[in-house]
Amino acid sequence: MKIHVIITMIALFVFLIAAIWYAKKKYKINLSVLGLGAVAFFVSSQVLEKIVHLLVLHPQKDGSISLMQEHPFLYVLYGIAMAAIFEETARLVFFNWLEKKRTLEDSDALAYGLGHGGLELLYLGIGSLISLLILFSMLESSNPDLANLLPKNTLETVQSLSAWQVYLLGVERVLALIMQIGLTIWVYQAVRQKNWIYLVAAYGLHALFDLAPSLSQVGWISNPLLVEGLLAVEVVLFVYFTKSVFYKKR
């Protein structure tokens, strides 16, 4: 299994580097905007949002959350709302700030989206794969005491993983990157055109994209292929919709 994890990690990294290189060459993206997009993702979703989660959800030492177990529907609503609010508001703040510094350019949306989605791909995607690699190494170790250190649920989950599920994780990260670029375009256009319907749409679309994974998290959707299939359909329709709204004359 470790070889499948390593292949997925390399594929994701190469894909991200190739996407940035292509965007820089063809669209002349500003790498400073890309870097600030990455910072905005980390601060909004991995610092501020997680602080709110700690205050609201009160997760236990074993990772369990009472709201998820007792009121899964409310937990899903809370999760998709928080992700949308923090990430889309970060985009709004950034483009409002950038607009005061200079004229906004279409390439700024692509640069920010690649930075935001790219760090998400590295932090959540490759980070998760590295964790899997460590867990598989512990299971294959000649020292059985290492495997005994793992919680029972974690041990069962890792042992039940198939190669296709590892690759599916990579596909999910690619879909998420495309989604993040698309959502950035909507917020960018909201700021540039001063049409706040686009901003409201970005909040709603983000929540919609997170719905299937959140339902899976509480056990209401158990088939990972169904979750990723729904995400793939959503992303394809989203790309078409975004192009129709903003770039139909091109």
Side-chain angles (χ1 to χ4, degrees):
M1 284 296 295
K2 287 198 294 185
I3 186 62
H4 301 296
V5 175
I6 293 171
I7 290 172
T8 306
M9 287 171 57
I10 293 173
L12 283 176
F13 186 75
V14 170
F15 175 81
L16 178 59
I17 295 301
I20 294 173
W21 175 84
Y22 180 78
K24 177 64 177 174
K25 183 176 181 180
K26 183 167 183 178
Y27 299 103
K28 312 298 181 186
I29 63 168
N30 188 313
L31 294 181
S32 295
V33 173
L34 184 146
L36 289 171
V39 172
F41 158 75
F42 188 81
V43 172
S44 63
S45 70
Q46 301 304 309
V47 178
L48 299 179
E49 185 182 345
K50 287 195 172 180
I51 289 174
V52 173
H53 290 340
L54 288 173
L55 295 174
V56 175
L57 298 177
H58 304 293
Q60 303 302 308
K61 291 182 179 180
D62 61 357
S64 63
I65 298 172
S66 59
L67 183 64
M68 181 193 297
Q69 298 168 344
E70 298 171 9
H71 304 285
F73 180 69
L74 291 179
Y75 177 81
V76 168
L77 289 181
Y78 167 84
I80 64 177
M82 288 299 101
I85 289 170
F86 277 94
E87 292 185 45
E88 301 315 311
T89 302
R91 289 180 169 97
L92 175 64
V93 170
F94 173 79
F95 284 117
N96 274 322
W97 170 81
L98 186 61
E99 188 180 41
K100 295 176 182 178
K101 300 292 182 180
R102 62 168 173 79
T103 302
L104 294 177
E105 301 174 359
D106 285 354
S107 62
D108 292 329
L110 177 58
Y112 182 100
L114 276 171
H116 184 122
L119 185 59
E120 182 183 57
L121 181 149
L122 293 173
Y123 190 79
L124 299 183
I126 293 183
S128 297
L129 289 167
I130 290 174
S131 298
L132 272 180
L133 197 60
I134 294 171
L135 291 173
F136 282 129
S137 297
M138 291 177 68
L139 290 177
E140 295 174 7
S141 171
S142 57
N143 185 354
D145 293 334
L146 290 177
N148 294 332
L149 295 174
L150 299 174
K152 184 179 179 181
N153 290 341
T154 301
L155 188 62
E156 291 175 352
T157 300
V158 173
Q159 289 176 329
S160 65
L161 276 179
S162 301
W164 65 268
Q165 291 175 294
V166 175
Y167 292 120
L168 199 60
L169 176 61
V171 172
E172 178 184 301
R173 287 300 98 205
V174 172
L175 292 174
L177 176 59
I178 296 171
M179 177 199 74
Q180 295 291 9
I181 294 171
L183 289 170
T184 304
I185 291 173
W186 281 78
V187 179
Y188 161 80
Q189 293 289 356
V191 174
R192 186 177 184 183
Q193 299 185 34
K194 300 296 182 284
N195 188 338
W196 304 115
I197 293 299
Y198 296 152
L199 177 63
V200 174
Y203 282 115
L205 287 165
H206 194 136
L208 177 63
F209 289 133
D210 285 343
L211 181 58
S214 295
L215 292 175
S216 175
Q217 192 176 5
V218 297
W220 288 5
I221 299 180
S222 58
N223 189 333
L225 282 175
L226 178 59
V227 174
E228 302 309 324
L230 288 171
L231 283 176
V233 171
E234 288 172 352
V235 168
V236 169
L237 293 175
F238 179 50
V239 170
Y240 177 79
F241 183 46
T242 301
K243 187 175 181 181
S244 299
V245 173
F246 301 118
Y247 306 107
K248 57 187 175 183
K249 296 181 181 178
R250 300 186 182 184

